[in-house]
Amino acid sequence: MSPSAPPAALRLASPPKVLLPALSPSSTCSPRLSMSTPSRPRATPLTAAGGGGAAPSLLAADPGHRDSVILAARDAMTNCLGETHLDLVVPGLRLAAKGKVRDVYESGEHLVLVTTDRQSAFDRVLASIPFKGQVLNETSLWWFNRTSHITPNAVVSSPDRNVTIAKRCSVFPVEFVVRGFVTGSTDTSLWTVYNKGVRNYCGNAIPDGMVKNQKLPANILTPTTKADDHDVPITPDEIVKSGLMSKDDFDEAKSKALSLFEYGQKVALENGVILVDTKYEFGKTADGTVVLIDEVHTPDSSRYWIANSYEERFKSGLEPENVDKVT
């Protein structure tokens, strides 16, 4: 990927750095994005006042320990980046969109995507978690760089641990959800609809006799529309007939999504986890190139299971050990 230099108005408090092949160990010590307040220090472990080691349980009999933990937790919450107002402090920026997690600003041919610490689940914002946005942003940057052999992406640079500057493009109003297992608990999850007797979901034929958390014979794409309140499953034919995407654009994005997922599963398994399902978003640049946007294989957009316990727990009828954002 050959990053282009963004205009001066997008350089925030420090000059943009080119996306590196890998994040250095020292990268986790960089200051937080500065809004109207000074840079926030890194959160410290929740330990009892004057004590070391692990923090006691909130249910501990000693109320003094419990109060210390609660106070430490409250102090840590000051590290949360819950709101951004870059349009008020950076000339030339305009707030284009405020999502559940990301705030998007625009300036000329570039977008500034700020990943906040807001925690969303089931299509609503629940709370904020210190440094969550930094983890999501840096995770995506890592994957964007390592999947450039599969598809180009919109990333230009990252001037802050919570910020990505991207090329402006026309975003397809479709989320490309790829699944490798029959699982989930929401109304649109594959297990929920399968358990109700559905055997053709979003244009995919699902065989009879499958059980919850079982691996599919092959990975499948189950696209959804991008609605404000909730996502709606849709078939490829409906996407094309409704004019959401052309057939050529959809076929290209579908191929990229399935290849990204296959590669993501390989890398995840090499590191002891199973990439169960995830979602991708794509856009089209001014020159007609279909590019990967938004985020890649983050704990917010993906479901992960611990690999070495999956088979035994599945055979025993137990739920897999999860490391997704809901658990």
Side-chain angles (χ1 to χ4, degrees):
M1 180 171 55
S2 300
S4 59
L10 303 186
R11 292 175 187 167
L12 306 181
S14 59
K17 55 183 177 297
V18 176
L19 183 60
L20 300 176
L23 296 173
S24 64
S26 62
S27 66
T28 57
C29 298
S30 297
R32 301 297 308 274
L33 173 67
S34 176
M35 297 298 164
S36 57
T37 58
S39 296
R40 301 165 176 81
R42 176 157 293 279
T44 55
L46 299 181
T47 55
S57 168
L58 291 177
L59 300 179
D62 186 342
H65 282 325
R66 183 178 63 183
D67 291 345
S68 295
V69 172
I70 292 174
L71 287 173
R74 288 174 178 169
D75 288 342
M77 292 306 293
T78 62
N79 288 311
C80 286
L81 180 60
E83 299 293 333
T84 70
H85 303 284
L86 289 184
D87 52 326
L88 302 181
V89 296
V90 180
L93 283 190
R94 186 184 74 84
L95 180 63
K98 184 181 179 70
K100 290 185 286 290
V101 174
R102 288 173 181 80
D103 293 346
V104 181
Y105 298 86
E106 60 183 12
S107 178
E109 296 303 312
H110 294 84
L111 297 177
V112 178
L113 297 91
V114 184
T115 307
T116 71
D117 295 333
R118 297 192 293 264
Q119 170 73 14
S120 73
F122 307 111
D123 295 311
R124 58 177 59 88
V125 176
L126 303 177
S128 293
I129 299 175
F131 298 95
K132 171 179 175 283
Q134 176 178 326
V135 171
L136 295 182
N137 192 56
E138 292 188 335
T139 298
S140 283
L141 291 173
W142 192 91
W143 281 106
F144 274 127
N145 191 70
R146 279 162 176 75
T147 56
S148 59
H149 65 289
I150 298 174
T151 176
N153 57 67
V155 175
V156 173
S157 62
S158 177
D160 183 275
R161 298 303 172 184
N162 288 68
V163 178
T164 292
I165 295 178
K167 302 172 188 175
R168 181 192 294 274
C169 62
S170 299
V171 178
F172 297 124
V174 174
E175 290 190 347
F176 287 74
V177 181
V178 184
R179 305 176 188 271
F181 293 77
V182 181
T183 191
S185 58
T186 65
D187 291 342
T188 58
S189 72
L190 187 54
W191 170 246
T192 299
V193 297
Y194 185 87
N195 198 37
K196 292 178 179 178
V198 175
R199 294 296 180 268
N200 192 300
Y201 189 54
C202 297
N204 300 283
I206 314 296
D208 288 325
M210 300 197 73
V211 297
K212 188 179 183 184
N213 302 325
Q214 184 175 352
K215 184 175 176 59
L216 288 161
N219 296 328
I220 62 173
L221 176 69
T222 59
T224 66
T225 60
K226 296 176 62 175
D228 291 334
D229 52 350
H230 65 282
D231 300 329
V232 180
I234 189 171
T235 68
D237 286 344
E238 290 170 336
I239 290 173
V240 175
K241 288 179 180 178
S242 63
L244 294 177
M245 297 180 69
S246 70
K247 187 177 187 307
D248 287 345
D249 285 342
F250 175 81
D251 288 344
E252 181 176 352
K254 174 183 177 180
S255 176
K256 291 176 184 291
L258 290 171
S259 295
L260 286 165
F261 190 70
E262 182 179 359
Y263 178 73
Q265 285 185 312
K266 175 180 178 294
V267 174
L269 195 57
E270 290 171 352
N271 289 275
V273 291
I274 298 171
L275 177 58
V276 179
D277 49 47
T278 193
K279 64 97 176 173
Y280 305 103
E281 295 187 41
F282 295 92
K284 200 170 189 178
T285 60
D287 64 3
T289 303
V290 175
V291 296
L292 181 64
I293 64 170
D294 195 49
E295 61 183 326
V296 190
H297 299 160
T298 71
D300 259 18
S301 65
S302 312
R303 191 193 315 266
Y304 287 97
W305 292 339
I306 302 299
N308 62 12
S309 63
Y310 165 72
E311 288 291 346
E312 181 178 350
R313 295 181 69 87
F314 176 72
K315 291 176 182 178
S316 301
L318 300 174
E319 288 293 311
E321 293 182 283
N322 292 276
V323 286
D324 59 78
K325 69 175 180 178
V326 179
T327 55

